[in-house]
């Protein structure tokens, strides 16, 4: 158990809908990362927050947005969902925002868009 | 395209044998990390090697880094059935703060 929690575990929804994925980092970790893992794209870095501020941005679509709240939990919002958005979404946390930090991954949220 | 590419894509060995997987990347890195993922679960950090290091050990793991060839290898010695998983390299490039994960090597250790 990494100490990172993600909810929900599974999510099934229809095209065009909007969903919110939630992540609670390990106790004391200030940095949160979001990743998307699909069969065709592999594991893609989406975005990183550090202590409430956006720190780095990867291949995140404009239809997706994220934020980190004062209690350090984070939410990833996916809107106007398409079939291709079906994937495993992982959240990871690290103690600080630096690039030498080991990341601790949550169990993931499996999103299925029908 | 992804920064890291692992080779082979899949590897099947007998318990007790050594497993070697390779990672190649495209641009200069600050450090390279190896992660392990059991089927459908979150990744687990294994080892980090900085760009100025050439070799690092952790238990049965040995990682090498050749920055001139832009490649790294992960060696798992005396493999066990419990080592069955996918292994990913993640490169952290010098500009920006992004982690790029490779395509992964699927390792099967047969008891």
């Amino acid at each position: 158990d990494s100490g990172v929690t993600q909810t929900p575990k599974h999510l099934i929804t229809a095209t065009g809908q909007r969903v919110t994925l939630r992540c609670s980092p390990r106790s004391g970790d200030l940095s949160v990362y979001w990743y998307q893992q699909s069969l065709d794209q592999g594991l893609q870095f989406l975005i990183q927050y550090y202590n409430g501020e956006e720190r780095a941005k990867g291949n995140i679509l404009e239809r997706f947005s994220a934020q980190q709240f004062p209690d350090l939990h984070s939410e990833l919002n996916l809107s106007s969902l398409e079939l291709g958005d079906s994937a495993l979404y992982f959240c990871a946390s690290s103690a600080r925002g630096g690039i030498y930090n080991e990341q601790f991954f949550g169990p993931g949220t499996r999103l299925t868009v029908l | 395209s992804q920064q890291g590419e692992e080779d082979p894509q899949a590897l099947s060995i007998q318990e007790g044998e050594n497993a070697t997987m390779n990672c190649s990347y495209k641009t200069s890195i600050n450090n390279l990390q190896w992660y392990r993922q059991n089927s459908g679960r979150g990744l687990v950090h294994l080892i980090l090697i900085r760009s100025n290091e050439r070799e690092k050990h952790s238990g049965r793991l040995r990682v090498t880094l050749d920055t001139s060839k832009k490649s790294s290898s992960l060696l798992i010695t005396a493999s066990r059935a419990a080592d069955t998983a996918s292994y990913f390299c993640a490169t952290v490039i010098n500009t920006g703060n992004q982690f790029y994960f490779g395509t992964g090597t699927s390792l099967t250790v047969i008891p």
Side-chain angles (χ1 to χ4, degrees), chain A residues 5-114:
Chain A
T5 60
Q6 289 186 248
T7 56
K9 191 167 182 158
H10 299 277
L11 199 48
I12 301 174
T13 187
T15 54
Q17 295 298 308
R18 173 190 169 93
V19 297
T20 297
L21 312 184
R22 184 188 166 102
C23 167
S24 292
R26 288 190 323 157
S27 177
D29 282 0
L30 298 177
S31 200
V32 168
Y33 309 77
W34 284 99
Y35 293 89
Q36 178 195 60
Q37 186 177 37
S38 60
L39 282 175
D40 55 342
Q41 294 288 324
L43 192 63
Q44 299 275 325
F45 166 73
L46 296 178
I47 198 162
Q48 178 203 1
Y49 279 83
Y50 174 74
N51 204 20
E53 307 258 334
E54 183 184 303
R55 173 64 68 94
K57 214 165 187 176
N59 299 321
I60 188 165
L61 300 172
E62 283 191 15
R63 300 184 286 109
F64 297 180
S65 65
Q67 53 185 329
Q68 186 179 28
F69 294 87
D71 67 352
L72 301 177
H73 91 270
S74 178
E75 292 181 354
L76 178 67
N77 300 295
L78 315 176
S79 60
S80 303
L81 285 168
E82 302 175 359
L83 295 176
D85 297 328
S86 294
L88 258 173
Y89 290 84
F90 287 106
C91 163
S93 73
S94 66
R96 291 174 294 277
I99 56 178
Y100 291 109
N101 288 301
E102 169 186 352
Q103 294 183 34
F104 295 86
F105 279 74
T109 292
R110 184 172 293 280
L111 173 66
T112 302
V113 183
L114 301 175

Side-chain angles (χ1 to χ4, degrees), chain B residues 6-84:
Chain B
E6 281 94 338
D7 175 68
Q9 284 191 328
L11 180 60
S12 184
I13 58 174
Q14 292 290 139
E15 201 165 30
E17 293 180 340
N18 295 342
T20 300
M21 50 206 89
N22 304 294
C23 168
S24 59
Y25 56 91
K26 295 175 183 172
T27 61
S28 294
I29 61 169
N30 197 295
N31 68 82
L32 185 145
Q33 304 179 25
W34 283 91
Y35 286 78
R36 163 198 166 122
Q37 182 182 33
N38 286 86
S39 181
R41 304 188 66 175
L43 281 73
V44 175
H45 181 267
L46 296 176
I47 198 165
L48 179 154
I49 187 164
R50 297 182 182 227
S51 60
N52 61 354
E53 297 176 312
R54 292 296 166 257
E55 188 170 312
K56 210 158 179 183
H57 296 255
S58 176
R60 293 183 296 114
L61 306 180
R62 174 178 164 247
V63 168
T64 62
L65 179 64
D66 186 336
T67 52
S68 66
K69 293 182 180 176
K70 292 187 170 57
S71 68
S72 173
S73 68
L74 171 67
L75 168 68
I76 304 173
T77 59
S79 64
R80 305 166 182 168
D83 294 330
T84 295

